[in-house]
Amino acid sequence: MGASQQLVFLKANMLQRQFKEVAVMQANANRRNKWADRIERCLSSNMSAED
């Protein structure tokens, strides 16, 4: 493998890791938003904690 091929491979590998990180961050944000919405709905309802 030549130097230019190695560079392309390294850049592709770096981009792949960045895409995975972004996907994980988006999944975490979606999960937080879903739970925040659930909590908000529970707090704004007139139901007791037992209900």
Side-chain angles (χ1 to χ4, degrees):
M1 184 181 296
S4 63
Q5 288 175 322
Q6 285 180 329
L7 184 59
V8 168
F9 176 78
L10 290 173
K11 285 182 179 181
N13 194 6
M14 183 179 68
L15 284 172
Q16 185 179 23
R17 277 187 266 134
Q18 288 175 340
F19 284 131
K20 285 181 183 179
E21 289 175 15
V22 168
V24 168
M25 288 171 44
Q26 287 174 338
N28 289 340
N30 288 341
R31 205 170 352 223
R32 279 192 307 272
N33 289 339
K34 189 179 289 185
W35 276 103
D37 182 54
R38 288 175 181 162
I39 292 168
E40 183 65 32
R41 284 186 285 133
C42 288
L43 292 174
S44 65
S45 74
N46 290 324
M47 296 173 66
S48 68
E50 291 177 356
D51 294 337

